[in-house]
Amino acid sequence: MPARTNITWTRRTRLPLIASCALALTLTACGGSSLGGESDSDDDGPVRIGLLVPQSGIYTALGDDMKNAFEMYVDLNDGELGGREVEIILADEGETADSGQSAATKLIKSDDVHAVTGVVSSAVMNAIKDMVEGDEVPLVGSNASPTDLVDVEYIWRTSYVNDEPGIALGEHVADAVDGPVYLIAADYQAGKDEIEGFKETFLPAGGEVEATVYTPFPGTTNFQPYLAQIQSSDAAAVFAFYAGGAAVDFVKQYDDYGLAGNIPLYAPGFLTEGGVLDAQGSSAEDIYTSMNYSADLDTDVNNEFVEEYVERFDIEPTTYAVASYDAAAVLDQAIAAVDGDLTRESLNEAIGAVGEINSPRGPWRFNEGGTPIQTWYLRQVSEVDGELKNSAIDELGELGD
Amino acid sequence: MDALATNLVTVVEGVAFGLLLFTLAVGLSLVFGMMDVLNLSHGTLYLVGAYAAYALSDGSWWGLVLAIIVGTAAGVLGGGVLAGMTLPLSKRGHLDQALLTLGVAFIAGELFFEAFGHEVVPTAPPEALRGSVELLGRPYPIYRLVFIAVAGILALAVYIAFERSTLGALVRATVADREMVHAMGVDTRKVLFGVFAVGAALAALGGTLGAPLLAPGPGIDERVLVLSLVVIVIGGLGSVRGALLGGLLIGQVQTLGVSLLPDLAPFLLFGAMLTVLVIKPAGLVPAGGRR
């Protein structure tokens, strides 16, 4: 975020810095790529789905998971959804609200897609909300789901609401930990949502909070001062929310400064999800997380899904991949159910009527707010066959009702 | 007593972080101070070294030595190329340099992430440097203590080279008045190229040694650039002592500061910058004391 420095920049260099930021913004905004994208009003033609995921910037790894899983679903269905040929139009969400918004504008206004799926960043979701609702285009979101996104008609989420990982974990931690818990999170909306969600179930269950600390975001790479505070406090456990690079730094330093093994660490699943776990290595062992999915769930649907996914991409599927896979499943069912003309309007109606999705994470269905009613799992990082994995060790009940 | 020990360990951590910042910022500061080139791809040089550590440092001593050699050499090369690219623009002002170097940073960064993946990657220091020792009754990572020693020696060497040697005097003279030095028959272009290469090599070396502290991955190049800019604004352009002082100050602000004043954490960095600039607009130790 270079833009933050020019607050106190000296006159001599202010211009180039501003100009560079402008250039940076322009470049990211133009980054949206398109594959195909011809306007086609023929009802027998392919159904056009806009896949809006980051192809650049710090969220690219999540974007790749989501793109892979969506394309895998379509591929397994002979390139069709609901019996109609699919044209996937890929657009680069980038990492800022601006880049995401211009990519979405292109999909909705000029590519004339029937529906959009994807969206990693909550900031992008908030930025495009009005356009999506105004243009009445169904958006089957497969990641971003801010807590304050309510009263929407065209936005559906196959992931979960931001505060749910915290809500799922609160009561369990209150029962399992004997003493006060230290809450620490990155200082942005998602961090606050997680902490508030956690408190929502933790406090009524008799849990005690030692302290609540928000660390500057982005930019905190050095957690030692916070870890020193935790160590000299009376905390019996820690609840932490971090994702991506910050999750790697936090977990490694938690181990480096001798807290791992002494003070149990609980977190929403992002802390150890996907590629970050490889970078954390053995430092992550024994961390407890809550998530709506674990690759080791032993069901026929999941076993088949994991086998196919690992075969294709050589890594285990993440919750991000599953949410995107399910977005394809939702569209599959909805398109099949559309009677007569396939329009944005009829498709959105059909999505609302989609019943239970038989997902790798277990069966789920949309609630009134357009987010899943689903089971949550307690996972523990442990070594299985020489590899670190998030293993589901318990269920945390159903959320979303 | 317990609180004191906590804070003393945090001070040590601040020194480690501060020395890392010095290694990164000194090159940017000298190049900016001397050549008047605003190199916005400086963070990319950190990535050069850090990814060398990721690719070559396999947990053995030889791996570390190899990573240091390759990382530093790549840094020298990168610095030379950047100097060659920006020198022709020196008459055209900062804007053109900023556009060019930022473009280089974008392209190089994306190439790195295509090659090494879009996730943060781990580095493996030698076995003997892993784990922790007791420091004031608290576990402290061995690697960071060794880093303090190595980076401290490096800082001293850079200080002596630039501020106490004849060659250093030439460099400082070039910072102060390039035309005069040129008029005295010195090929200032060579001096400029040399400083750019040395500065870039230091940033890359900082990346190789600092990778376990600040792991390479998307976004790190920007963060390194921003921190380096803050350090040289506080320390003063074109001065080794300024970069050292600025680095150590920011190191403490980012550790002890956020530890003592957690509620103000998001503002401390900019608060420190503002305070210094109000008191000393040219930074703590501006080059040659001329501004």
Side-chain angles (χ1 to χ4, degrees), chain A residues 1 4-5 8-9 12-13 16 19-20 23-24 27 58 60-61 221-222 224-226 228-229 231 245 257 275 279, chain B residues 6 10 13 32 36 40 94-95 99 102 106 118-120 122 141 144 214 218 222-223 226 233 237 255 259 273 277:
Chain A
M1 296 263 158
R4 296 184 73 173
T5 48
T8 49
W9 202 238
R12 187 177 176 211
T13 46
S20 339
L23 180 73
L27 286 183
I58 53 175
T60 310
T221 48
N222 189 353
Q224 187 275 341
Y226 304 101
Q229 295 292 331
Q231 199 158 40
Y257 294 102
Chain B
T6 303
T10 302
E13 177 63 23
F32 202 173
D36 216 11
L40 292 182
H94 290 148
L95 190 56
L99 288 176
L102 193 68
F106 277 143
H118 287 89
E119 300 267 10
V120 171
R144 284 169 195 243
L214 206 59
E222 284 171 25
R223 227 176 300 175
V226 168
V233 167
L237 281 180
T255 55
S259 177
M273 199 151 91
L277 286 182

Side-chain angles (χ1 to χ4, degrees), chain B residues 63-83:
Chain B
L64 182 64
V65 171
L66 192 65
I68 289 173
I69 293 171
V70 172
T72 312
V76 171
L77 198 68
V81 170
L82 280 168

Side-chain angles (χ1 to χ4, degrees), chain A residues 203-223:
Chain A
L203 296 176
E208 211 187 313
V209 173
E210 169 75 18
T212 306
V213 172
Y214 291 105
T215 59
F217 175 88
T220 305
T221 48
N222 189 353
F223 292 96

